[in-house]
Amino acid sequence: MRAQHYLGPRRPLVLADLPTPRPTAGQVLLAVKACAVCRTDLHVIDGELADPKLPLVPGHEIVGVVIEKGAEVEKFAVGDRVGVPWLGWTCGACDYCRGGRENLCDRARYTGYQIDGGYAEMAVADARYCFALPAQFDDVGAAPLLCAGLIGYRTLRMAGDGNRIGIYGFGAAAHIVAQLARFEGRTVFAFTKPGDRDAQDFARALGVEWAGGSDEAPPEALDAALIFAPVGALVPAALSATRKGGTVVCGGIHMSDIPAFPYALLWKERSLRSVANLTRKDGEEFLALAPKAGIVTATRRYPLAEANTALADLRAGRLDGAAVLVP
Ligand SMILES: [Zn+2]
Ligand SMILES: [Zn+2]
């Protein structure tokens, strides 16, 4: 099968011809239909995350059809369409797993990081971590739900029930979470790179109340801010836009250093927290909600062979929504 191979930090992916993977007893073998490109893939390829397998097939927003399954798989049948997210395996035994926080499992393994992912014609996945996908989404449209959507959902939940939600970094996750927040009756304020009119217009087209640069103050103080851009300087910016008692949630896996800031920005019971990974419960909740909320994903498709172009476009901010690779 053809697959894109990551061989080491800051090297372009290489299109390789690899043996077809074989499913073990608990795995499904998938014919990949689409795999969205996530900013985390850039962090892996840039060597910013510590523990990738090498060589590695990246990609953790996989839509595929089951073409073979291991003897123990009962959840899916051959022919079923499934989604494979970032969370690929957990131990089931550590305090976090037993306490309903498998996203923090001490021994977790992640798709497209420690497990070969979906930048390929075929992939294997542990069936217990795969999701059924809502029929309303086609293959390309469903792919960004599997990380941008899921992590966006968890990030919004961690922000609490406040009405005025600020979103810093208006890419794949933001464009989904903005639709979800609007469906829940909230008011959304979008912050982009200063001067990025295209991203601000894209946000306005999704019904946000206000769109501006991350160096601007919103017209009203925020109840909560979600940060999806990997820029530590946005943390004090978001805190200063957030009202007393509000919450700032960092949704990314990696961020540049957060600059020192006056304690007064945090004082008056503002909270600052991160979101890490996902639980299967998040996935089930979000994938049930996405069609009800009428979420429409904005995608740009690329042939599998052009993965490096898709990554470059993401890095340069040339995308509205998500890049999706199609084998
Ligand atoms: Zn991701
Ligand atoms: Zn565990």
Side-chain angles (χ1 to χ4, degrees), residues 89-98 101-102 104-108:
W89 185 87
T90 56
C91 77
C94 72
D95 287 349
Y96 293 109
C97 282
R98 287 185 296 149
R101 293 198 287 169
E102 65 181 358
L104 300 177
C105 173
D106 290 331
R107 294 169 58 210

PDB file of all heavy atoms in Angstrom, residues 89-98 101-102 104-108, ligand 2:
ATOM      1  N   TRP A  89      -5.130   3.699  22.226  1.00  0.00           N
ATOM      2  CA  TRP A  89      -5.077   2.576  23.171  1.00  0.00           C
ATOM      3  C   TRP A  89      -4.869   3.144  24.577  1.00  0.00           C
ATOM      4  O   TRP A  89      -4.126   4.126  24.746  1.00  0.00           O
ATOM      5  CB  TRP A  89      -3.900   1.648  22.840  1.00  0.00           C
ATOM      6  CG  TRP A  89      -3.839   0.408  23.693  1.00  0.00           C
ATOM      7  CD1 TRP A  89      -4.481  -0.782  23.472  1.00  0.00           C
ATOM      8  CD2 TRP A  89      -3.096   0.247  24.915  1.00  0.00           C
ATOM      9  NE1 TRP A  89      -4.182  -1.665  24.484  1.00  0.00           N
ATOM     10  CE2 TRP A  89      -3.327  -1.069  25.386  1.00  0.00           C
ATOM     11  CE3 TRP A  89      -2.264   1.083  25.673  1.00  0.00           C
ATOM     12  CZ2 TRP A  89      -2.770  -1.565  26.558  1.00  0.00           C
ATOM     13  CZ3 TRP A  89      -1.698   0.587  26.850  1.00  0.00           C
ATOM     14  CH2 TRP A  89      -1.954  -0.734  27.274  1.00  0.00           C
ATOM     15  N   THR A  90      -5.546   2.558  25.568  1.00  0.00           N
ATOM     16  CA  THR A  90      -5.299   2.918  26.970  1.00  0.00           C
ATOM     17  C   THR A  90      -5.173   1.639  27.787  1.00  0.00           C
ATOM     18  O   THR A  90      -5.602   0.569  27.343  1.00  0.00           O
ATOM     19  CB  THR A  90      -6.438   3.780  27.547  1.00  0.00           C
ATOM     20  OG1 THR A  90      -7.684   3.075  27.386  1.00  0.00           O
ATOM     21  CG2 THR A  90      -6.530   5.130  26.845  1.00  0.00           C
ATOM     22  N   CYS A  91      -4.605   1.767  28.986  1.00  0.00           N
ATOM     23  CA  CYS A  91      -4.295   0.553  29.764  1.00  0.00           C
ATOM     24  C   CYS A  91      -5.512  -0.017  30.476  1.00  0.00           C
ATOM     25  O   CYS A  91      -5.552  -1.205  30.776  1.00  0.00           O
ATOM     26  CB  CYS A  91      -3.160   0.841  30.748  1.00  0.00           C
ATOM     27  SG  CYS A  91      -3.661   1.759  32.227  1.00  0.00           S
ATOM     28  N   GLY A  92      -6.487   0.831  30.787  1.00  0.00           N
ATOM     29  CA  GLY A  92      -7.680   0.349  31.489  1.00  0.00           C
ATOM     30  C   GLY A  92      -7.466   0.079  32.967  1.00  0.00           C
ATOM     31  O   GLY A  92      -8.411  -0.282  33.676  1.00  0.00           O
ATOM     32  N   ALA A  93      -6.237   0.247  33.464  1.00  0.00           N
ATOM     33  CA  ALA A  93      -5.927  -0.173  34.833  1.00  0.00           C
ATOM     34  C   ALA A  93      -5.415   0.961  35.717  1.00  0.00           C
ATOM     35  O   ALA A  93      -5.478   0.866  36.934  1.00  0.00           O
ATOM     36  CB  ALA A  93      -4.885  -1.295  34.794  1.00  0.00           C
ATOM     37  N   CYS A  94      -4.895   2.019  35.129  1.00  0.00           N
ATOM     38  CA  CYS A  94      -4.304   3.083  35.957  1.00  0.00           C
ATOM     39  C   CYS A  94      -5.410   3.904  36.631  1.00  0.00           C
ATOM     40  O   CYS A  94      -6.589   3.775  36.303  1.00  0.00           O
ATOM     41  CB  CYS A  94      -3.376   3.969  35.115  1.00  0.00           C
ATOM     42  SG  CYS A  94      -4.216   5.061  33.950  1.00  0.00           S
ATOM     43  N   ASP A  95      -5.020   4.744  37.582  1.00  0.00           N
ATOM     44  CA  ASP A  95      -6.005   5.558  38.306  1.00  0.00           C
ATOM     45  C   ASP A  95      -6.843   6.400  37.350  1.00  0.00           C
ATOM     46  O   ASP A  95      -8.045   6.573  37.543  1.00  0.00           O
ATOM     47  CB  ASP A  95      -5.293   6.502  39.289  1.00  0.00           C
ATOM     48  CG  ASP A  95      -4.735   5.755  40.488  1.00  0.00           C
ATOM     49  OD1 ASP A  95      -5.082   4.561  40.661  1.00  0.00           O
ATOM     50  OD2 ASP A  95      -3.959   6.361  41.250  1.00  0.00           O
ATOM     51  N   TYR A  96      -6.204   6.933  36.315  1.00  0.00           N
ATOM     52  CA  TYR A  96      -6.928   7.803  35.378  1.00  0.00           C
ATOM     53  C   TYR A  96      -7.956   7.004  34.585  1.00  0.00           C
ATOM     54  O   TYR A  96      -9.109   7.420  34.440  1.00  0.00           O
ATOM     55  CB  TYR A  96      -5.945   8.501  34.435  1.00  0.00           C
ATOM     56  CG  TYR A  96      -5.057   9.500  35.143  1.00  0.00           C
ATOM     57  CD1 TYR A  96      -3.698   9.250  35.339  1.00  0.00           C
ATOM     58  CD2 TYR A  96      -5.585  10.692  35.622  1.00  0.00           C
ATOM     59  CE1 TYR A  96      -2.883  10.159  35.996  1.00  0.00           C
ATOM     60  CE2 TYR A  96      -4.783  11.620  36.277  1.00  0.00           C
ATOM     61  CZ  TYR A  96      -3.435  11.351  36.461  1.00  0.00           C
ATOM     62  OH  TYR A  96      -2.643  12.258  37.109  1.00  0.00           O
ATOM     63  N   CYS A  97      -7.530   5.859  34.064  1.00  0.00           N
ATOM     64  CA  CYS A  97      -8.479   5.035  33.305  1.00  0.00           C
ATOM     65  C   CYS A  97      -9.665   4.633  34.179  1.00  0.00           C
ATOM     66  O   CYS A  97     -10.820   4.710  33.752  1.00  0.00           O
ATOM     67  CB  CYS A  97      -7.791   3.778  32.773  1.00  0.00           C
ATOM     68  SG  CYS A  97      -6.777   4.068  31.305  1.00  0.00           S
ATOM     69  N   ARG A  98      -9.371   4.221  35.410  1.00  0.00           N
ATOM     70  CA  ARG A  98     -10.455   3.733  36.267  1.00  0.00           C
ATOM     71  C   ARG A  98     -11.328   4.873  36.779  1.00  0.00           C
ATOM     72  O   ARG A  98     -12.461   4.663  37.192  1.00  0.00           O
ATOM     73  CB  ARG A  98      -9.883   2.911  37.428  1.00  0.00           C
ATOM     74  CG  ARG A  98      -9.385   1.542  36.934  1.00  0.00           C
ATOM     75  CD  ARG A  98      -8.921   0.660  38.064  1.00  0.00           C
ATOM     76  NE  ARG A  98      -7.756   1.231  38.728  1.00  0.00           N
ATOM     77  CZ  ARG A  98      -7.470   1.071  40.014  1.00  0.00           C
ATOM     78  NH1 ARG A  98      -8.255   0.373  40.787  1.00  0.00           N
ATOM     79  NH2 ARG A  98      -6.384   1.624  40.521  1.00  0.00           N
ATOM     80  N   ARG A 101     -11.012   9.125  33.317  1.00  0.00           N
ATOM     81  CA  ARG A 101     -10.157  10.100  32.632  1.00  0.00           C
ATOM     82  C   ARG A 101      -9.092   9.379  31.800  1.00  0.00           C
ATOM     83  O   ARG A 101      -7.897   9.614  31.948  1.00  0.00           O
ATOM     84  CB  ARG A 101      -9.521  11.040  33.661  1.00  0.00           C
ATOM     85  CG  ARG A 101     -10.574  11.932  34.333  1.00  0.00           C
ATOM     86  CD  ARG A 101      -9.955  13.142  35.011  1.00  0.00           C
ATOM     87  NE  ARG A 101      -9.254  12.778  36.226  1.00  0.00           N
ATOM     88  CZ  ARG A 101      -8.445  13.614  36.897  1.00  0.00           C
ATOM     89  NH1 ARG A 101      -8.241  14.835  36.447  1.00  0.00           N
ATOM     90  NH2 ARG A 101      -7.859  13.218  38.003  1.00  0.00           N
ATOM     91  N   GLU A 102      -9.566   8.513  30.901  1.00  0.00           N
ATOM     92  CA  GLU A 102      -8.622   7.748  30.088  1.00  0.00           C
ATOM     93  C   GLU A 102      -7.800   8.648  29.176  1.00  0.00           C
ATOM     94  O   GLU A 102      -6.744   8.232  28.687  1.00  0.00           O
ATOM     95  CB  GLU A 102      -9.351   6.679  29.275  1.00  0.00           C
ATOM     96  CG  GLU A 102     -10.307   7.237  28.234  1.00  0.00           C
ATOM     97  CD  GLU A 102     -11.034   6.128  27.465  1.00  0.00           C
ATOM     98  OE1 GLU A 102     -10.765   4.944  27.716  1.00  0.00           O
ATOM     99  OE2 GLU A 102     -11.880   6.481  26.621  1.00  0.00           O
ATOM    100  N   LEU A 104      -6.002  10.840  30.124  1.00  0.00           N
ATOM    101  CA  LEU A 104      -4.744  11.083  30.848  1.00  0.00           C
ATOM    102  C   LEU A 104      -4.026   9.780  31.195  1.00  0.00           C
ATOM    103  O   LEU A 104      -3.080   9.787  31.996  1.00  0.00           O
ATOM    104  CB  LEU A 104      -5.025  11.879  32.135  1.00  0.00           C
ATOM    105  CG  LEU A 104      -5.677  13.258  31.937  1.00  0.00           C
ATOM    106  CD1 LEU A 104      -5.966  13.913  33.284  1.00  0.00           C
ATOM    107  CD2 LEU A 104      -4.781  14.161  31.096  1.00  0.00           C
ATOM    108  N   CYS A 105      -4.447   8.668  30.616  1.00  0.00           N
ATOM    109  CA  CYS A 105      -3.853   7.353  30.918  1.00  0.00           C
ATOM    110  C   CYS A 105      -2.321   7.425  30.920  1.00  0.00           C
ATOM    111  O   CYS A 105      -1.705   7.985  30.015  1.00  0.00           O
ATOM    112  CB  CYS A 105      -4.309   6.325  29.884  1.00  0.00           C
ATOM    113  SG  CYS A 105      -3.467   4.731  30.045  1.00  0.00           S
ATOM    114  N   ASP A 106      -1.732   6.802  31.960  1.00  0.00           N
ATOM    115  CA  ASP A 106      -0.275   6.808  32.089  1.00  0.00           C
ATOM    116  C   ASP A 106       0.425   6.102  30.929  1.00  0.00           C
ATOM    117  O   ASP A 106       1.583   6.379  30.637  1.00  0.00           O
ATOM    118  CB  ASP A 106       0.141   6.097  33.392  1.00  0.00           C
ATOM    119  CG  ASP A 106      -0.225   6.901  34.630  1.00  0.00           C
ATOM    120  OD1 ASP A 106      -0.266   8.148  34.539  1.00  0.00           O
ATOM    121  OD2 ASP A 106      -0.475   6.284  35.684  1.00  0.00           O
ATOM    122  N   ARG A 107      -0.259   5.154  30.303  1.00  0.00           N
ATOM    123  CA  ARG A 107       0.398   4.339  29.273  1.00  0.00           C
ATOM    124  C   ARG A 107      -0.284   4.477  27.914  1.00  0.00           C
ATOM    125  O   ARG A 107      -0.119   3.625  27.047  1.00  0.00           O
ATOM    126  CB  ARG A 107       0.417   2.873  29.727  1.00  0.00           C
ATOM    127  CG  ARG A 107       1.287   2.643  30.966  1.00  0.00           C
ATOM    128  CD  ARG A 107       1.081   1.252  31.549  1.00  0.00           C
ATOM    129  NE  ARG A 107       1.366   0.214  30.570  1.00  0.00           N
ATOM    130  CZ  ARG A 107       0.788  -0.993  30.538  1.00  0.00           C
ATOM    131  NH1 ARG A 107      -0.141  -1.295  31.426  1.00  0.00           N
ATOM    132  NH2 ARG A 107       1.112  -1.869  29.623  1.00  0.00           N
ATOM    133  N   ALA A 108      -1.070   5.531  27.737  1.00  0.00           N
ATOM    134  CA  ALA A 108      -1.854   5.680  26.495  1.00  0.00           C
ATOM    135  C   ALA A 108      -0.955   5.684  25.266  1.00  0.00           C
ATOM    136  O   ALA A 108       0.207   6.103  25.324  1.00  0.00           O
ATOM    137  CB  ALA A 108      -2.660   6.973  26.543  1.00  0.00           C
TER     138      ALA A 108
HETATM  139 ZN    ZN B   2      -4.524   3.908  31.911  1.00  0.00          ZN
END
